[in-house]
Amino acid sequence: MINIGIFSLSSCSGCLIEFLNLEETILDLLGFLDIKEAQILKTGTFDGVFDMVFIEGSPTNEHEVEKLRELRERSKMLVALGTCACYGGVQTMVGDVGVESAAKTQYGSVIPLKTIVPEGLGTYVDVDHMLYGCPFERSELLELVKSVIMKMDYRDREHSVCTECILRENRCLLDKGKPCMGPVTRGGCDARCPENWMYCTGCRGEYSDMNVESHRKKLREMGYSHEDILGMYNKYYRRLERE
Amino acid sequence: MSEINIPLVTRVEGHGHVNIRLRDKEIEEVSFGMHEGARYFEAILVDRKWSEVPEIAARICGICTVIHAVGAAKAVENASPGFEAPETLEKLRKLLVYSSHIQSHILHLYFLAWPDYVGKESALAAVPEYRELVKKAFRMKGKANEMTEIIGGRMVHPCTVMPGSLTKSFDIDDLKRYRKRMADILEDLRMSAEIFAGLDYPETTVETEHLALHDGKEVPLDHGDMKTIAGPEFQPSDYLKYIRERVIPPNTTKRSYMDGKGFMVGALPRLNINHRFLREEVREFFSGFPSKNVHLNNLAQALESYHFGLEALDMVDEMIEGKELYSPPKEELRFDGSEGVSAVEAPRGILLHHYRIGKDGRVEFANIITPTAFNFEHIELALKEGLPQFADSPPEKIKFEAERIIRAYDPCISCSAHVVKVE
Ligand code: SF4
Ligand code: SF4
């Protein structure tokens, strides 16, 4: 049996929910996985060593950083579950506003618990695997779990959402004037948004061979301003610095 | 004096804790806190484009993501002068909300609440004895998720919801696929109503008000005025006149009050206020509305799930019969600096989105009040009301009952953008 734990830092819990959305498949997995701790699913905690922990969310305060370090210490394998855990997630947009001023906007004069600008788990600890997406794709979770059970390699996909659109013979949304992030976003979602006639907003983040310069140039030609482009790139995490 | 602490409440969404102080076998003090990290959505949304609002707001919560997206879209529409949502768009969004609520209710009912009623640590631990039932719960949730995906494009964080439109066309085939799934689980939704009507609920009655949407015709989820059981009915845009938020030291936790008191939102308030509009088939399981026993929120969710299933089927049948097709409009929304408010019912109760959008289409101001922020004060009232009867019991029992009260609200702590405790 593989001991697992499922944990959550600052997040929307969407990735936990997506985990539970495996539905009955979870019952099959219970033959191989022993869920030792998962706050949303069961009472009780576990003090031993995990073979595998899944962590969603990103730390937004020092307590969460501590919790993350502690989990790393007693886990043989750490999986970043979803874009928050991989890169920081939508809450990184607070970086543009500044934590102090965000706290004022949100809470008025009383500033709560000292917040830090969120970053991916890799900033603080070693991460063994990343499951990209907001939320991650269940097919990739199953692939990873199977590879661990069967002691096989698991590899990230290094192609764009664009590639998946082409395979599906979708009409290009950039050509239709939409601000699509497909060319600079890691595939693996089967071009989920373009399939639904919605341009990709980049929730799975970057991949190795992307060409940011030509994508930006194209957006500029289409009439998007520098500000617009910064907003598009810096939504799920900070990908472009202000120049 | 002794203390009982629950550092992390389990089987709820997000991070909450409880502190109970006992003296001479009497409960002296109970406090409930939430220690969710702050994600500052209201600040993040400022300067973003109108078209990004549902996408970003959906990320407030992964369980009630659909209603956040729809509520945000509607608030943005209300800030766009002259915009009126076409009927088919409203219907499709309603179908989307129905399936999402059923998903959320089934998750809460079977995976978060029910284990307490059969003495298990989790639904998975109940599998050896209740295999078929747990499988059915997964199946209901799964089908509901598939319906959400048919309209929303994704189960968690739908990608088709835009202010003023859904991004893609829908034809009769899509409606039929939705219909088939709802028909598949209808009998199980009926069974859930029966099961949860048959549970033995503890008694924790809090006498303060309940608040829900009301239109005098149905159990509304996406429109209507705000109404209490006995008191005023008011327009969502007037919320600031009726609802006060307050900070009570030593916490800087914002809590909501009406007439100086905490109030409850959620499935139970919805049915207390709208039970007359429940379907005949559903009403036969329970006739005790209004009730202020917070544990009946579980029952109310089970009744609602069956009710929403029946309503959705009728609506989708009508659409299929009337050959109602949808394709996204060509023109985009316009803005002139106006404000827009929307009040919708999340699975856990009323959810408010409020925006001002400038001429350039960018958000100038955002305020979001989530159901758990509304319920926060009420949860503490319920703990104070419900725990003294167990003051004599061993600490484990007191803890169990405290968690059971909190779970009844199905709190969604990530949602409580507004609620943070100072350490
Ligand atoms: S990656 Fe997205 S879905 Fe997952 S926890 Fe973060 S915000 Fe939620
Ligand atoms: S198309 Fe883009 S935004 Fe949509 S799921 Fe895939 S990576 Fe995420």
Side-chain angles (χ1 to χ4, degrees):
Chain A
M1 280 296 228
I2 301 171
N3 283 350
I4 71 160
I6 308 172
F7 292 88
S8 178
L9 304 173
S10 292
S11 69
C12 80
S13 288
C15 286
L16 295 185
I17 299 305
E18 196 61 8
F19 202 113
L20 297 179
N21 285 350
L22 287 172
E23 316 295 359
E24 284 166 73
T25 310
I26 295 180
L27 298 180
D28 304 331
L29 289 177
L30 290 181
F32 305 94
L33 306 180
D34 187 356
I35 306 177
K36 290 290 188 192
E37 184 171 341
Q39 172 266 346
I40 196 163
L41 201 56
K42 61 187 285 194
T43 49
T45 51
F46 174 71
D47 297 326
V49 173
F50 292 106
D51 295 312
M52 213 173 170
V53 283
F54 296 88
I55 303 179
E56 73 157 15
S58 51
T60 59
N61 56 55
E62 289 299 332
H63 299 293
E64 291 187 334
V65 174
E66 253 167 61
K67 178 172 159 187
L68 171 62
R69 294 219 161 95
E70 189 258 332
L71 282 172
R72 172 70 271 187
E73 255 167 45
R74 57 195 182 93
S75 309
K76 293 184 196 151
M77 183 188 282
L78 188 149
V79 182
L81 202 57
T83 294
C84 288
C86 296
Y87 300 117
V90 287
Q91 53 263 35
T92 53
M93 281 187 270
V94 75
D96 285 332
V97 194
V99 182
E100 299 270 299
S101 116
K104 273 211 191 98
T105 308
Q106 186 127 350
Y107 302 101
S109 54
V110 235
I111 313 281
L113 189 68
K114 193 170 163 296
T115 357
I116 52 182
V117 177
E119 288 180 75
L121 307 186
T123 305
Y124 305 98
V125 298
D126 288 337
V127 173
D128 298 293
H129 292 290
M130 309 229 259
L131 290 175
Y132 309 94
C134 179
F136 70 87
E137 292 290 329
R138 290 188 306 281
S139 53
E140 290 186 315
L141 170 67
L142 278 179
E143 210 179 301
L144 172 65
V145 169
K146 277 184 195 150
S147 77
V148 171
I149 292 171
M150 297 168 77
K151 301 195 168 46
M152 281 163 40
D153 271 358
Y154 173 84
R155 277 214 202 98
D156 282 347
R157 285 172 174 69
E158 296 296 345
H159 63 255
S160 63
V161 167
C162 221
T163 314
E164 293 177 350
C165 243
I166 292 165
L167 285 175
R168 296 174 157 252
E169 296 177 6
N170 289 341
R171 248 194 86 183
C172 178
L173 291 168
L174 273 170
D175 286 348
K176 290 178 82 178
K178 304 283 186 193
C180 192
M181 292 286 284
V184 290
T185 302
R186 184 189 298 272
C189 59
D190 287 337
R192 187 178 277 281
C193 298
E195 276 287 296
N196 286 286
W197 310 14
M198 169 66 190
Y199 46 90
C200 170
T201 57
C203 85
R204 293 173 55 86
E206 62 207 49
Y207 69 105
S208 49
D209 288 335
M210 60 183 183
N211 189 338
V212 172
E213 271 329 301
S214 79
H215 183 244
R216 283 173 75 177
K217 192 160 154 258
K218 169 110 191 169
L219 289 172
R220 289 305 289 261
E221 283 165 14
M222 288 164 67
Y224 290 96
S225 69
H226 180 59
E227 261 330 283
D228 290 342
I229 294 170
L230 277 175
M232 289 163 62
Y233 270 83
N234 294 347
K235 185 181 290 185
Y236 289 89
Y237 64 106
R238 185 167 282 263
R239 290 176 66 169
L240 286 183
E241 288 307 325
R242 280 177 186 280
E243 281 144 26
Chain B
M1 199 190 76
S2 63
E3 271 199 34
I4 298 175
N5 288 312
I6 305 171
L8 183 61
V9 179
T10 55
R11 276 194 276 117
V12 296
E13 191 287 331
H15 304 102
H17 57 269
V18 182
N19 186 277
I20 304 164
R21 269 211 322 262
L22 291 147
R23 190 189 292 274
D24 303 330
K25 305 219 159 172
E26 299 246 354
I27 293 192
E28 192 177 66
E29 180 63 46
V30 185
S31 68
F32 171 55
M34 308 188 191
H35 51 282
E36 194 70 28
R39 295 195 298 144
Y40 301 116
F41 276 93
E42 283 138 325
I44 282 171
L45 281 161
V46 171
D47 282 344
R48 285 277 159 181
K49 287 192 181 168
W50 64 273
S51 51
E52 296 174 293
V53 175
E55 177 195 1
I56 295 171
R59 267 77 187 178
I60 292 173
C61 172
I63 304 184
C64 20
T65 155
V66 163
I67 198 71
H68 268 293
V70 171
K74 282 176 177 267
V76 172
E77 289 164 8
N78 290 342
S80 173
F83 178 82
E84 195 139 349
E87 206 185 318
T88 308
L89 171 64
E90 290 288 26
K91 285 186 183 168
L92 286 165
R93 292 200 289 213
K94 209 161 160 180
L95 290 178
L96 180 63
V97 170
Y98 279 144
S99 62
S100 161
H101 275 50
I102 292 173
Q103 167 272 141
S104 173
H105 281 356
I106 296 299
L107 172 69
H108 172 249
L109 287 168
Y110 287 96
F111 296 93
L112 311 187
W114 174 73
D116 287 339
Y117 291 85
V118 288
K120 301 289 177 199
E121 62 173 19
S122 72
L124 298 180
V127 168
E129 270 167 78
Y130 296 93
R131 190 171 187 93
E132 279 318 302
L133 186 58
V134 175
K135 274 186 127 168
K136 276 187 179 168
F138 272 129
R139 186 164 160 272
M140 282 183 267
K141 193 163 89 59
K143 295 273 178 187
N145 270 325
E146 285 171 28
M147 290 179 250
T148 300
E149 193 168 25
I150 290 169
I151 299 175
R154 175 152 60 182
M155 296 173 179
V156 172
H157 303 330
C159 58
T160 61
V161 180
M162 272 275 162
S165 67
L166 289 165
T167 54
K168 59 175 277 201
S169 293
F170 290 91
D171 57 21
I172 300 299
D173 249 20
D174 297 315
L175 296 175
K176 284 188 174 158
R177 285 196 296 138
Y178 181 101
R179 189 198 187 284
K180 179 173 186 320
R181 285 161 181 81
M182 193 61 95
D184 281 350
I185 60 170
L186 195 67
E187 172 49 28
D188 288 349
L189 294 174
R190 196 203 60 78
M191 173 204 74
S192 296
E194 194 175 344
I195 290 176
F196 281 85
L199 292 184
D200 197 5
Y201 297 101
E203 169 83 35
T204 299
T205 296
V206 181
E207 283 304 341
T208 64
E209 262 300 355
H210 285 188
L211 184 72
L213 292 183
H214 172 79
D215 75 346
K217 286 193 226 103
E218 58 179 304
V219 184
L221 296 177
D222 59 354
H223 65 279
D225 288 341
M226 289 161 92
K227 189 183 175 319
T228 57
I229 298 177
E233 184 160 348
F234 55 93
Q235 298 260 313
S237 49
D238 285 338
Y239 75 96
L240 287 171
K241 285 191 204 140
Y242 292 88
I243 297 165
R244 288 276 132 82
E245 292 185 286
R246 212 192 277 161
V247 177
I248 300 188
N251 295 349
T252 58
T253 318
K254 279 194 184 174
R255 303 169 184 235
S256 300
Y257 300 85
M258 274 191 309
D259 286 335
K261 297 194 188 98
F263 56 94
M264 181 174 181
V265 298
L268 181 61
R270 276 198 292 269
L271 295 192
N272 276 337
I273 287 158
N274 297 306
H275 60 96
R276 294 196 308 290
F277 312 109
L278 274 178
R279 302 279 293 236
E280 195 74 35
E281 304 92 309
V282 181
R283 260 185 287 164
E284 84 184 57
F285 292 106
F286 185 73
S287 55
F289 296 116
S291 163
K292 288 185 174 173
N293 180 5
V294 301
H295 291 289
L296 294 189
N297 196 49
N298 296 307
L299 171 58
Q301 285 191 344
L303 298 178
E304 269 191 349
S305 302
Y306 184 31
H307 173 81
F308 294 151
L310 290 161
E311 294 278 286
L313 267 182
D314 280 2
M315 205 168 89
V316 78
D317 277 343
E318 236 183 77
M319 293 173 77
I320 292 171
E321 200 152 301
K323 301 209 170 42
E324 276 192 58
L325 308 175
Y326 177 81
S327 43
K330 294 259 163 0
E331 58 296 341
E332 302 207 319
L333 299 187
R334 291 173 307 109
F335 299 92
D336 66 356
S338 299
E339 297 191 14
V341 175
S342 77
V344 291
E345 289 276 356
R348 315 161 167 76
I350 287 189
L351 166 66
L352 274 168
H353 281 254
H354 179 181
Y355 303 103
R356 185 175 66 243
I357 302 185
K359 282 203 185 71
D360 58 355
R362 293 189 186 265
V363 176
E364 294 177 350
F365 160 86
N367 191 30
I368 300 161
I369 313 184
T370 63
T372 301
F374 284 135
N375 274 336
F376 185 37
E377 173 73 10
H378 203 267
I379 293 176
E380 209 171 84
L381 292 176
L383 290 169
K384 285 177 179 154
E385 190 62 43
L387 290 182
Q389 54 185 312
F390 303 105
D392 240 354
S393 315
E396 281 316 306
K397 171 75 176 164
I398 299 178
K399 274 191 197 174
F400 172 81
E401 293 298 340
E403 287 197 283
R404 172 141 81 167
I405 288 172
I406 295 168
R407 282 177 199 131
Y409 288 81
D410 189 10
C412 191
I413 301 175
S414 292
C415 252
S416 313
H418 253 62
V419 190
V420 166
K421 181 173 180 260
V422 162
E423 302 275 318

